[in-house]
């Protein structure tokens, strides 16, 4: 089977439109339609149906979806493993978006520095999709804050993330920070519950963001307060661009590596996980005034 047929199938499914899929693939709409007809002829089933100008997968199309994604993923991994010049080993990894700027980027740099001949495929997804891609074999390992507890998955703690409440305004109390332009960063359900336990009377924040980097940029440009990783804002604290809210309790979060039990990449995984450096609190303190 021509892999381009599967790529076209996935793109049509993603965009729900033959013309837009053609633009994304640099093909005419007629060429996209022709590829889908070829794939349907090979399989002997219809893959799409139109309902009120909406393009939907048939039940057969839904069943093909997971296989098409895995076939293309396996082909990318095989091509990299076999054809990439100088590569001795290969690993596919994924991480949640909220972890990349906080812990994964530095680890990724360390990984590339210490194992320059390791071929890597790196992705970012939601924790739910990361888990599914590990289970389906698309990823060798994934990193997240709140992994699903499944018997088929090995879960290993790899990094400690110390969150401290900081503000663009000096000498605020926690009560003042929570009531004045407070930014709620989405660190997951357990963080939200812990935050509520610590500050049961805090007003509902008007601003919620998905990543710490978004909150940091907002605070430096406009102001506000938020719980941010101590390592991320160490420079801003030292330069007095941000200020620790001294009566706010630090919150510790742990990042976990998730990979299949009895993984064929176990030896490589054991080798790369120790490259994480964030295993201890940074213990930031207020700079002298």
């Amino acid at each position: 089977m021509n892999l381009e047929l599967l790529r076209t199938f996935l793109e049509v499914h993603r965009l729900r439109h033959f013309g837009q899929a053609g633009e994304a693939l640099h093909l005419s709409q007629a060429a996209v339609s022709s590829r889908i007809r070829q794939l349907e002829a090979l399989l002997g089933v219809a893959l799409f149906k139109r309902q009120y100008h909406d393009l939907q997968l048939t039940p057969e199309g839904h069943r093909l979806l997971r296989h098409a994604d895995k076939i293309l993923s396996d082909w990318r991994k095989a091509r990299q493993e076999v054809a990439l010049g100088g590569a001795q080993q290969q690993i596919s990894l994924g991480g949640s978006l909220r972890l990349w700027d906080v812990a994964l980027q530095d680890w990724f740099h360390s990984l590339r520095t210490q194992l320059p001949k390791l071929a890597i495929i790196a992705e970012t997804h939601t924790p739910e999709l990361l888990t599914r891609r590990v289970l389906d074999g698309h990823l060798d390992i994934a990193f997240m804050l709140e992994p699903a507890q499944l018997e088929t998955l090995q879960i290993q703690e790899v990094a400690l993330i110390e969150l401290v409440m900081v503000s663009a305004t000096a000498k605020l109390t926690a009560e003042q920070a929570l009531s004045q332009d407070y930014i709620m960063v989405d660190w997951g359900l357990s963080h939200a519950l812990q935050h509520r336990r610590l500050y049961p009377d805090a007003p509902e924040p008007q601003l919620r963001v998905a990543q710490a980097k978004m909150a940091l940029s907002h605070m430096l440009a406009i102001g506000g307060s938020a719980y941010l990783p101590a390592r991320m804002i160490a420079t801003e604290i030292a330069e007095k661009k941000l200020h620790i809210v001294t009566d706010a309790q630090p919150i510790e979060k742990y990042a976990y590596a998730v990979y299949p039990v009895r993984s064929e990449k176990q030896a490589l995984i054991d080798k790369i996980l120790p490259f994480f450096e964030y295993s201890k609190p940074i213990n930031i303190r207020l700079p002298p005034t």
Side-chain angles (χ1 to χ4, degrees), residues 7 11 22 24 47 49 55 58 99 137 158 181 204 233 281:
R7 290 193 180 93
E11 200 65 18
L47 298 173
K49 58 183 177 183
L55 196 64
T58 63
L99 271 183
V158 292
D181 300 319
E204 190 68 19
I233 43 87

Side-chain angles (χ1 to χ4, degrees), residues 24-242:
L25 295 168
H26 304 289
L27 298 171
S28 67
Q29 183 170 335
V32 171
S33 298
S34 175
R35 286 186 178 184
I36 296 301
R37 286 196 299 271
Q38 290 180 56
L39 185 58
E40 290 177 328
L42 282 171
L43 296 172
V45 297
L47 298 173
F48 292 97
K49 58 183 177 183
R50 294 184 182 273
Q51 291 183 334
Y52 305 105
H53 306 289
D54 184 25
L55 196 64
Q56 296 290 335
L57 288 174
T58 63
E60 294 79 10
H62 277 290
R63 289 196 289 271
L64 175 63
L65 190 62
R66 180 171 61 88
H67 295 291
D69 194 26
K70 188 173 190 310
I71 288 170
L72 290 176
S73 178
D74 286 345
W75 171 244
R76 286 193 298 270
K77 291 168 67 175
R79 186 175 59 187
Q80 186 176 39
E81 200 167 275
V82 172
L84 189 62
Q88 296 176 344
Q89 291 179 292
Q90 184 266 350
I91 194 164
S92 58
L93 58 92
S96 62
L97 284 170
R98 60 172 68 108
L99 271 183
W100 272 105
D101 293 330
V102 177
L104 287 179
Q105 194 65 55
D106 286 346
W107 172 79
F108 189 73
H109 294 164
S110 179
L111 182 62
R112 290 295 297 154
T113 300
Q114 298 190 53
L115 297 176
K117 294 191 179 298
L118 176 65
I120 303 172
I121 298 173
E123 305 176 0
T124 58
H125 299 291
T126 64
E128 294 77 13
L129 184 53
L130 286 171
T131 300
R132 185 161 71 247
R133 290 180 71 77
V134 171
L135 290 172
D136 289 346
H138 293 83
L139 295 175
D140 298 314
I141 188 169
F143 301 92
M144 61 193 79
L145 291 172
E146 299 176 1
Q149 303 294 316
L150 301 175
E151 292 183 356
T152 54
L153 294 179
Q154 180 73 30
I155 299 173
Q156 182 174 336
E157 179 185 307
V158 292
L160 170 64
I161 301 169
E162 184 187 19
L163 303 178
V164 292
M165 188 187 291
V166 291
S167 177
T169 303
K171 299 181 180 179
L172 287 186
T173 65
E175 182 179 359
Q176 291 171 328
L178 289 162
S179 61
Q180 299 176 18
D181 300 319
Y182 184 71
I183 306 168
M184 186 67 173
V185 181
D186 180 11
W187 292 106
L189 178 59
S190 65
H191 174 78
L193 295 173
Q194 186 175 3
H195 194 282
R196 178 56 61 184
R197 286 194 297 268
L198 290 173
Y199 310 107
D201 300 323
E204 190 68 19
Q206 294 185 352
L207 183 58
R208 294 176 178 270
V209 298
Q211 295 173 259
K213 197 170 185 179
M214 298 168 65
L216 175 59
S217 178
H218 183 282
M219 291 167 65
L220 294 176
I222 300 175
S225 306
Y227 266 103
L228 295 179
R231 292 179 183 274
M232 175 181 281
I233 43 87
T235 299
E236 286 75 12
I237 293 294
E239 296 175 353
K240 298 186 180 182
K241 294 178 180 178
L242 295 178

